[in-house]
Amino acid sequence: MSKPLIEVKDLKIHFPMKNNILFNKEKRFVKAVDGISFVIHENETLGLVGESGCGKSTTGKSLLRLIEPTAGEVIFEGKDITKISTREMRDVYRNMQLIFQDPYASLNPRKTVGKLIEEPLLINSDLSPKDRLDRVYELLDVVGLNAYHANRYPHEFSGGQRQRVGIARALALNPKLIIADEAVSALDVSIQSQILNLLRKLQQSFGLTYLFISHDLSVVKHISDRIAVMYLGEIVELGTKIGLYDKPLHPYTQALLSAAPSIKSTNRRERIVLEGDMPSPVSPPSGCKFHTRCFAKMPECELVRPQMRDMGDGHYVACHLYK
Amino acid sequence: MKNSLQIVAEPVKVVAPKKSLWIDAWKRLKKQRSAMIGLTIVLFFILLGVFAQFLTSHPYDGFNTDKILISPNSEHWFGTDDQGRDIFSRILYGARISLWIGFFSVIGSIIVGCYLGLIAGFYGKWVDTIISRMFDIMLAFPSILLAIAIVAVLGPSLFNALIAIAIINVPTYGRLIRSRVLSVKEEEYIMSSKSIGMSNSRILFQHILPNCMTPIIVQGTLGIATAILEAAALGFLGLGAQPGEPEWGKMLSDSRQFLTVAPWTLLFPGFAIMLTVVGFNMFGDGLRDALDPKTK
Amino acid sequence: MKPILTVDNLQTHFFTDSGIVRSVDGVSFQVNEGETVGIVGESGSGKSVTALSIMRLLPSRVGKIVEGSVKFQDIEMSKLKEKEVRKIRGNDIAMIFQEPMTSLNPSYTIGNQIGEAVRLHLKLNRKQAEKRSVELLQQVGIPRAQEIVHEYPHRLSGGMRQRVMIAMALACNPKLLIADEPTTALDVTIQAQILDLIQQLKKTSNTSIIIITHDLGVVSEICERVIVMYAGRIVEEGDVRSIFESPSHPYTSGLIESLPSLDESVEWLETIQGNVPIPSQMPTGCKFAPRCKFVMERCKQEEPELIDIGMGRKSRCFLEGKRKNV
Amino acid sequence: SDKESDSGNKTVNTTESSKNSTLIYGRGTDTVTLDAHNIVEAESSRISKNIYETLIDYEKESTEVTPKLAKEWTTSDDGLIWTFKLQENVKFHDGTEFNADAVVYNFERMMDENHPQHQGDFSIFSRTFKGVIEEVKAVDAHTVEFKLVKSDATFLPNLGITPFGIISPDALKTFNDKIQEHPVGTGPFVFDSWIQNDSLTLLKNENYWITDLPKMDKIIFKIIPDNSARLTALKNGEIDLMEGINQSDLPAIEKDMNLQILKRPAANVGYITINTTRPPFDNVKVRQALNHAVNKQGLIDAFFGPVASPAKNMTPPAVWGYNDEVKDYEFDLEKAKQLLVEAGYPNGFETEFYVMTTPRLYFPQPEKVAEAMKSDLEKINVKVKIVTYEWATYLPKLMEGDYSIAVIGRISENGDPDNFLNTMLYSKSSSNLSKFSNTRIDELLIEAKNSIDRDVRTALYKEVQEIAHNEAPTIPIAYVESPMAARNYVKGYIPHAIGYESLAEIYFEE
Amino acid sequence: MKSYFARRILQLVPVLIGMSIVVFSIIHAIPGDPATVILGDHATPEAVKELRTEMGLDKPLISQYFAYVKSIVTGDLGNSLRTKKPIQEEITPYLAATIELMFASMIIATVIGVNAGILAAWKRASWFDNIAMFIALVGVSMPVFWLGLMEQWIFSEKLSWLPSIGRFNAREPIEAITGLYMVDTIIQGNWAGLWDAFKHLILPGLALGTIPMAIIARITRSSMLEVLESEYVRTARAKGLSEIWVLYKHALKNAFAPVLTVIGLQVGLLLGGAVLTETIFGWPGIGRYIYDAIGYRDYPVIQSGILIISTIFVCVNLVVDLLYARLDPRINYK
Ligand SMILES: Nc1ncnc2c1ncn2[C@@H]1O[C@H](COP(=O)(O)OP(=O)(O)OP(=O)(O)O)[C@@H](O)[C@H]1O
Ligand SMILES: Nc1ncnc2c1ncn2[C@@H]1O[C@H](COP(=O)(O)OP(=O)(O)OP(=O)(O)O)[C@@H](O)[C@H]1O
Ligand SMILES: [Mg+2]
Ligand SMILES: [Mg+2]
């Protein structure tokens, strides 16, 4: 396997809650991300799955410091980018880019598509206006749009096309790492596959590395090499695609996989229906955060937070079942 | 590289035909009947004001003892007032004043309000606190009393009435833009601008400001209507136009005592105010429906 | 098996500023007693509008049923007066909507909202209505039902709210339940809970169910029959197993193949090219022709009929017609 | 059936008579105070005049002095000692006796800063009697003696103005600074109640010392700020009597069978003051030119109505000493232009014209007058810019001489010509707004003030008016009678020139 | 809830202090002085000077300001310069008059406005909607003083239906208890007086209420339109509820929040903005009282008057915020 491109160590992101300033001294936090670690190697795709609110987006955004991490390190190309100045962050932006979930909300409705794609070039490169324009056309071409789309506004495009624009914008500076935050969730099934194919093609052509965030297990499985499963701000299981899907270890992963409806019900697993909802990240359960919903709960789960355990073949799990 | 591009290319047709945002908005606006009526009324009054001297042969001023309080007839369409002046002419010339005050006071409020609102919304924290409290303070006063006090300080005149109206409306625009900034700031495309390393000022002026303008334009159009009414109220209280100036509100207050003997002296200026204001309101409503249908 | 609902040549159009939108353009189908039917299709294909047309809940100003009939049991819904429809709505036919977050009135307690329907249709008094509400909540598996009835919706999670919606729909023991994307907004584990609940309902009551969704997986889990819609038309209809195993219409097969699967890995997904046509640029012939892999000249000229291809299946494709004729 | 109709009539009568015993007087603004000594404006005097009485009073239809609480008086030859014999058997409303001590107590309150009831500023007293009265003392129970510092022709008439009304010393002691809420006098009416800015009610003084008076049981002063609204109220019978009428409404009132117009004689003059220290107005020809350029009759027709007459002197005809021989400047634009040429302004000049926004008795519509004058002045090439101010800003500007030409006027305080001519024309007078200075006029005025012979004074004042006319420091515009309107059944009401009057003799005719 | 309330009140403090400074500096920046006005036509420079000293106007502004703040903190609004009476006493009847008028117009405005708005939204684009919205449009476009004049002309002058001025017939004065005559007459059982007070209230109430009515109708309509498109209304309909029930129970309660805000704001406008209406209808209200005080440069009255109505206004909006919580259980003030 190639060398690591980005390494996240014990990353924590806690949002202070807007509190009654005068009458409530005690400060409370939303523990959106609560100590996660992972590595993404060059030219691979790490999938990040989990249910709504488990902290996937927060993780993704904090890698670019769009949300400042509360603690932990993010080592990108050998540098801890949580500690560098905003000026130095420019270099990081050049190499790390984000594709947003909502193709409708992430494009400024008042700018033409050409301008939007040109913007990163304008800010981060010294290209001449003409070169920039050429590059914009080239990018449009790359994502399957045409040069004549450049002076149109986002609202004239369909969702899928907008997502292509978002991808072109992210590609503009030839980044090494692309964080795709639910890049296909908002799209229709038939469009989703177009974009997934595009992303894969781009990875092959340009040697990109992806952090692919999604809540859709089958999409993540399709696109990723390795997968991390998040629950309530923590990674509970991390493994290669085959390892994780064929032999899910963590009860949560098992439940998740079994719950996903499939059209091929012949080789159906027995559906595991979890009880209750995800607890609030403000006051997460003690010990293993999953114990409130776990079907294999043991007494110690309530008390001790399980550590990540290497189960071989790059498969890690944080569960007391595996000692 | 070129090679790989070929692999990727998978051209798709664009769904909607090319339109600029403004052309698009104009097209939607054109479909709104009431907005077009409003626009027509506004343009009508603008033309009346601009071409006043060609539209009437009677002067709007002077003291004509032979013609005092003549009821409307073929020569004086709207009759004459207690100085023997032609009311029709005065209304034509008055259109200039009202439109002028309405337009420029709103421009003034918008410039100041936008500036303060942008800063407050974007930088937040204590800057926001100070500016917002300032707005709160201004809004806690009944605006007309505040305007009266301001004119009292500056001395009554049309220009000072304009200033007063501009000042009292600053918080309206300031708050509007502040709240817009607060919401636009959270939009994903702002996050996306940050993610390419864009500077704050660029984000503020290139991305946030343009996206805040729509409600401001709408509010501004409606604001002209309000400003015209406020100017008329100040005129009515004798705090705007100076004696002789054919301001509509002033005309009303000058003729108040003729309610029974010469009602036309009150009817027509009142109608003029109402019609102009209706025009701006209809146009503004239409603009809102056309520009941001969500806030309907 | 008696049909409980018969929709015949339903055409619902929206008269918007930018022209007429033929959202539902000649849809016919039947739902039998005790049957669960799924309607799938991409966004904008007219699924919700079909459901609303059945309920006569279209936005009255712009949306109109211009043709066709909707028969509930033996009652012709389109001929009923508004007042008579109201007697059926919520009583004989109930509906659940996609967004559990916004489908409950934030200003009233859960008990109030469930009780309302019971009090109206079953003529219960306040006390009885509350009792019934609690029963219903328990029935849909809400813990602490006694307390929850007094809660406001915002205090509940998405899954809980969807259960409340279901409880509300079940309040008067409807004969037909229409669920418009009941799980789309929910997380996988919560979706599993709701699907489980619906399956239990199927077992315990004889209610017919129409499930509208764009998730083929959901359909395959709980439906017996499925109707595939595209651009306001039914393009294919049949029982779930056979359709998913051997789809007949290119659109259906495209949909199925473009889905990444948990069970098998492929490098490239199948795609359906292009986009769903927007109403103003609806093609003349087969609506799917511009995106179809097997498009023929004929497809661009005329539109195929929805033809019976045997085994209770129907398909709207010339290729099927040929296959059948051959 | 006869009987029945009779009794029917009777009920009507009784209701009518009960209505008839109450007079409702509509006016525009509220009273400020009921502490007579602290009064400075007319709306307070209007009430106080009916609650309190002064030592002397004015004739009903002129400003000549007549006895009131003082039956008679004598003067020492040097004019320094005035002795007043008081009415006997007069009681205050609180039942206490009116006597010389009461008079002394009242004046000492105003004069002596150490007096326990010396509260307020007593500005009218300071202005009229400070440095005039030296001492007030009781000679016996019903005789008071005033010792003056110097002989003063205006002393006697001044004693008749309401700020010198006599308040019950008992009440003063009881209510102290709250006296204005509990006014107790000897007048024909007793204070009943006062709803701020709405109405003020007086009741008949059953023990009034003049028999058969007052004739009304009750008077309500009702505030209706707007002139037209007040007139509507009169027409509807909600009020019986009102002041403040728009000139435009006068014709309609004249025609109305139910209404009558009453005129308050003009003891005022409305004029344009010209700042004689500012060029080009330091040139008498310019001032005369301006006088010729004003169409007084036109202005009066348009903005004053039939109640006003063109003014030519700085004192009104209703005040004695009026010089009717003065020939007014006629409205003649050619002549005006001619005079401007002579003065060296063939192309005219530009000037600012100050106007107050607040209507005054002598200028009911000041702004409109200015507007109209502006168009005439522009015909003689005098370019005028009208500048308006509120009263609070306006008067200080005029007093500081910070203006070129301005609209202003004067109302009589005591019906004496000195009150006009000295005040406005004496070079050292602070109300000489024109900053006019003429040695001859100064001499004449001083002489007149020191004399107590009416004929001598008349001659002196006539000469003053003659000179003032020629020097033209002002443009007298109008003497304004204030029109009042009443229901027809209101009788016995004679409006007085000084602006307010006793309502004791008012009655309703069935 | 309680702490929220306390916090909001604490937040008022800087606003009120700021307001007192603004009011103080603005009114003292107005040229002219009260002494001249008080002395009127007979003012002379000497008399003016003397009176100014007497009134303490020759002291430095800063010390005047602190004196003023001190007196306010001790609950004393000071005395009027002109009438020398305590402002507390003087202001009450004016305030009562305005409040009565305000209530009348707000009731007219709210009842008619809200219902018209609901109906218009419900029957969107119908003739009722068109007519109602046209009237509302004209309503918001009308100069209030002109409307008042026209009302007087038509209803008092031409038709003689209603009295055009004052609060009651001067011949049958009403005794004030609360100062709200409609209430007072009921307390006293004075039915003729009640009818009289009511008749006097109609025209000014209508004039003052028209603009808020129009605004409320428009905002109710647009808010209702939004809510009527919401999914929970569809849910309610799906339950088979009747339209009235859907409109007034399900939709209105949710649509009411913006309406409530507008009502809160209108109260502020009415409190001070009634100057014009009060002038025209001879209504002895606070707007007019303050306006006159500006003319007289009666500083303590202007200061206290503006401060009082601003405080009322701010408090009304506080109440509006609290009502929000009752309307919308999602708002959590904890
Ligand atoms: N700016 C913020 N302030 C406070 N809390 C936040 C903020 N952003 C996110 N959170 C909270 O952090 C938690 C994680 O949010 P995040 O958006 O990362 O979830 P997610 O996994 O991306 O969910 P989804 O699938 O819904 O996008 C949530 O509980 C969210 O409410
Ligand atoms: N109120 C409306 N006004 C105008 N057009 C409408 C309206 N409601 C729906 N439509 C149109 O009707 C068509 C079908 O809409 P419908 O809501 O039935 O789609 P759907 O299949 O339910 O899609 P989704 O999966 O997004 O819910 C769409 O093209 C839509 O634009
Ligand atoms: Mg997310
Ligand atoms: Mg739908």
Side-chain angles (χ1 to χ4, degrees), chain E residues 235-253:
Chain E
T235 309
R237 289 207 172 112
K239 280 189 246 176
L241 303 177
S242 70
E243 280 300 301
I244 295 267
W245 193 257
V246 170
L247 282 179
Y248 281 85
K249 183 178 170 191
H250 283 271
L252 182 59
K253 195 166 177 193

Side-chain angles (χ1 to χ4, degrees), chain C residues 131-147:
Chain C
K131 203 165 141 255
R132 175 88 178 123
S133 305
V134 175
E135 280 168 23
L136 284 162
L137 288 178
Q138 282 161 346
Q139 194 185 335
V140 296
I142 286 187
R144 299 186 299 124
Q146 287 287 2
E147 292 155 48

